[in-house]
Amino acid sequence: DAGVTQSPTHLIKTRGQQVTLRCSPKSGHDTVSWYQQALGQGPQFIFQYYEEEERQRGNFPDRFSGHQFPNYSSELNVNALLLGDSALYLCASSRTGSEAFFGQGTRLTVV
Amino acid sequence: QKEVEQDPGPLSVPEGAIVSLNCTYSNSAFQYFMWYRQYSRKGPELLMYTYSSGNKEDGRFTAQVDKSSKYISLFIRDSQPSDSATYLCAMRGNTNAGKSTFGDGTTLTVKP
């Protein structure tokens, strides 16, 4: 079992650019949640996808959007990048009756 | 004020010590309580989860939840250098897993 996999591992972008991060959930999981973790802080919930729809959303602007595919994998898109978007982006997968399992994250640096 | 407050640390203990990690929270709707371990620059790893109040033990780890005081703890017995990491408490309501509220973590160093 490969667990939750995220790509890329690291990414450097320039302010104003757009970025797409990818996540493949753990086998058997159908729900994907995305978190942002700034340095020295705990993960902050961005949104959750289930059955290809956004089911819940945290306090993040519309510049953050996502998608879930029929195979349950997911993408996180961030537009008009700001320096403050620099963080570790975490994907967590789950299914009914299980707790969430996290991937290793994508470290995004905005310069 | 944050919904979940975690003792900030850092915490440094000698090998073999008993470690106590703590969080308080304000949202009475929280029903599930989790502890994650996060090594530097890695994703969080689920250590333990508890539903409602009570204790749960798994090897050297014991999780305690006191909903009346809105206080949760993780105890690590016979701590090892490999336990050195950041420990995150997390909690959620009686909804689907995945949307959790996290503390900011306590960094633990266990010295040989």
Side-chain angles (χ1 to χ4, degrees):
Chain A
D1 184 358
V4 181
T5 58
Q6 293 186 242
S7 63
T9 306
H10 299 87
L11 203 52
I12 299 175
K13 289 287 189 177
T14 304
R15 272 181 302 175
Q17 285 189 315
Q18 180 263 344
V19 68
T20 297
L21 311 181
R22 295 176 175 83
C23 172
S24 292
K26 184 178 170 67
S27 178
H29 286 187
D30 56 10
T31 303
V32 173
S33 303
W34 287 92
Y35 287 80
Q36 180 195 66
Q37 186 177 23
L39 194 63
Q41 297 184 18
Q44 299 290 316
F45 177 78
I46 302 175
F47 44 53
Q48 182 180 86
Y49 276 84
Y50 174 72
E51 292 188 341
E52 302 180 50
E53 292 192 357
E54 182 182 294
R55 181 158 65 174
Q56 297 183 87
R57 189 178 184 92
N59 189 24
F60 279 80
D62 292 345
R63 298 187 298 108
F64 290 77
S65 63
H67 189 77
Q68 185 179 35
F69 300 93
N71 66 352
Y72 307 120
S73 67
S74 177
E75 289 182 348
L76 164 66
N77 301 292
V78 187
N79 294 322
L81 284 166
L82 304 173
L83 295 179
D85 295 331
S86 296
L88 181 67
Y89 287 85
L90 295 163
C91 169
S93 74
S94 58
R95 59 175 173 78
T96 301
S98 85
E99 283 307 315
F101 291 83
F102 283 83
Q104 293 303 293
T106 294
R107 186 162 299 279
L108 172 65
T109 302
V110 182
V111 297
Chain B
Q1 186 178 359
K2 292 186 176 183
E3 279 189 301
V4 178
E5 299 279 359
Q6 185 167 359
D7 290 351
L11 198 56
S12 180
V13 301
E15 183 175 354
I18 297 174
V19 176
S20 172
L21 304 167
N22 308 293
C23 289
T24 59
Y25 63 96
S26 58
N27 189 340
S28 299
F30 289 145
Q31 296 282 350
Y32 291 84
F33 303 90
M34 288 75 71
W35 286 95
Y36 288 85
R37 178 173 62 195
Q38 186 174 30
Y39 292 112
S40 181
R41 308 177 77 83
K42 300 292 186 183
E45 171 194 10
L46 179 64
L47 276 178
M48 300 189 71
Y49 75 95
T50 310
Y51 173 70
S52 196
S53 285
N55 294 359
K56 185 173 184 178
E57 187 173 321
D58 184 1
R60 296 184 296 110
F61 298 89
T62 299
Q64 286 186 353
V65 175
D66 181 349
K67 290 190 67 180
S68 62
S69 301
K70 296 188 176 66
Y71 189 89
I72 71 170
S73 299
L74 178 70
F75 297 95
I76 307 175
R77 292 183 299 280
D78 188 24
S79 56
Q80 302 295 309
S82 58
D83 294 328
S84 298
T86 295
Y87 289 80
L88 297 158
C89 65
M91 44 201 81
R92 63 178 177 88
N94 198 20
T95 58
N96 57 81
K99 182 181 184 291
S100 296
T101 302
F102 282 79
D104 284 337
T106 301
T107 298
L108 170 68
T109 300
V110 181
K111 298 184 176 181

